[in-house]
Amino acid sequence: MRNIIFVVVCLLLLVLPVTKINQAEKSEVENRKLASWPEISRENLFQGQLAPALEKYFEDRFFGRDMLLKISYAYNTFLKDHYENNSAWVGEDNWLFYKNEDSLRLCQNMVLFQEEEYPLIQQNLTSMHQWMTEHGIKFYMIYLPNKEDVYGEYMGHHIKKRTRPEADRVSLVVDYLQQQEAPLVPIYPLNRMLEEKKRSDALLYYKNDTHWSQYGAYIGYEALMQAISRDFPDIEVLEPAKMDFSPRIKWEDGDLARMLTLDMRQELADTWYVAPQPRQGWQYYVIEEQFLQNGKVYYQNIIHPHGKYYIHTVNPGGRYKVIVFRDSFGINLLPYLAETFNDVRFYWTMDMDIAQYKDVMAQEKPDLVIFESVSRYAQYSLLNNKF
């Protein structure tokens, strides 16, 4: 009887994880995109690519994985005195930092684009620019600095940033494209944010989260609009004189704090974040929202804001029609763009492959297309392009 029970338990342990496959696009625990179902083809099979891809798919999506990760993170964090686990760690002065997706190695300039990749990057961006131009669209790309590049001094004395090269990989790409006089050069407001950090006490990133604050997003908005205004001088930009910088908010539900299973309400009780807003109040409004869950778009009134797959805003007093492709950082940029332009459609695309939206752009005929991505995802859009 004991042997039968043992066999049954073993079989359950083997079968249970695949009884309910997680269909989500993203792991909220790890803050990353989950592996997709691989393309099953004879070529993939004979080249030995199918089995590893299937293994990665089931490894990412088996039943109970998120629960096990939370238990593992809590256990590892407890063993390390609440300082670190596989996804994040506590730096100095209650600053938390992200470990996944090569974040630390990126900050240390250990992940750079290779010399032979620079011409490919230029070719990819030029093909996107040409397609947009042929369809009468002005195209702008903005990469947002990783938190570690702006507040790296709080990462801990045991973590050193490499001094060579002095610039990070996105800065090096921007320099190369400028030297080549490329028709499309991404906007990268790292230096602008570092200058603002010295000038103001307002925090540009949340201490307990990977994302920039509303004030950080406003600084990024200024850098973006500086470029756009050269092509559209009639746009009414939300300049500092038009903004109220007195509103303050708390940010207690940080994704890094959740990864570390930390309750930091007491430690961050005196930490407030500037939330700039127009002195005349917000004039834009949302006319449609769609949400992505289990691979399908659906409508719902309450959901985590990063889960909004599509947001359509209108401001009767604004000008121009805009399409914005964004990642999760774009949610704090949204109010400023929605307030500036007449009609804005925001798409959250996890893999940042905007070529799949060519039909949408051709049909909607926007005046501008804006692409936004955090720096750690830059390789997806710079190296992978189907235009």
Side-chain angles (χ1 to χ4, degrees), residues 34 65 103 109 118 151 181 189 212 248 277 291 316 339 345 379 382:
L34 298 176
R65 181 177 184 274
S103 293
N109 283 341
Y118 282 83
Y151 290 99
E181 298 183 352
W212 58 2
R248 299 289 193 275
Q277 60 183 13
F291 304 87
E339 187 68 16
R345 296 153 196 259
Q379 67 275 12
L382 291 177

Side-chain angles (χ1 to χ4, degrees), residues 103-276:
S103 293
L104 178 56
R105 296 178 69 237
L106 284 168
C107 180
Q108 294 176 318
N109 283 341
M110 297 175 67
V111 181
L112 299 171
F113 292 112
Q114 301 302 307
E115 183 176 350
E116 61 271 16
E117 291 177 324
Y118 282 83
L120 175 61
I121 290 172
Q122 181 178 351
Q123 178 183 341
N124 286 342
L125 297 192
T126 299
S127 66
M128 283 193 280
H129 176 268
Q130 289 176 344
W131 188 92
M132 298 289 182
T133 301
E134 290 170 0
H135 288 79
I137 301 169
K138 288 288 186 179
F139 183 43
Y140 306 89
M141 300 182 75
I142 179 169
Y143 289 100
L144 316 178
N146 296 324
K147 178 181 180 178
E148 296 78 17
D149 291 323
V150 180
Y151 290 99
E153 69 271 24
Y154 295 104
M155 293 171 63
H157 294 300
H158 62 293
I159 298 175
K160 303 297 182 183
K161 182 174 176 66
R162 288 191 171 187
T163 57
R164 291 291 184 272
E166 295 180 357
D168 67 10
R169 64 174 186 165
V170 176
S171 295
L172 293 172
V173 166
V174 170
D175 290 344
Y176 172 84
L177 294 172
Q178 288 175 337
Q179 292 171 8
Q180 298 295 315
E181 298 183 352
L184 177 61
V185 179
I187 301 158
Y188 187 48
L190 175 58
N191 291 334
R192 173 73 181 87
M193 299 191 78
L194 292 174
E195 291 170 1
E196 184 63 25
K197 182 180 126 181
K198 292 179 181 178
R199 189 195 70 82
S200 171
D201 292 333
L203 296 177
L204 301 169
Y205 288 74
Y206 298 121
K207 281 191 165 187
N208 58 353
D209 199 296
T210 56
H211 298 89
W212 58 2
S213 65
Q214 292 182 31
Y215 187 73
Y218 176 74
I219 300 303
Y221 163 84
E222 282 190 312
L224 175 62
M225 293 309 302
Q226 184 177 1
I228 293 177
S229 295
R230 288 194 286 267
D231 297 319
F232 298 88
D234 57 340
I235 293 178
E236 293 189 16
V237 179
L238 296 176
E239 299 172 346
K242 301 177 182 177
M243 301 298 290
D244 180 3
F245 295 94
S246 62
R248 299 289 193 275
I249 64 168
K250 303 285 287 183
W251 190 259
E252 297 177 344
D253 186 29
D255 57 4
L256 295 175
R258 294 198 302 271
M259 292 178 197
L260 288 163
T261 64
L262 291 177
D263 183 347
M264 300 189 68
R265 284 175 292 184
Q266 183 175 351
E267 289 84 353
L268 300 179
D270 297 326
T271 302
W272 294 82
Y273 301 92
V274 175

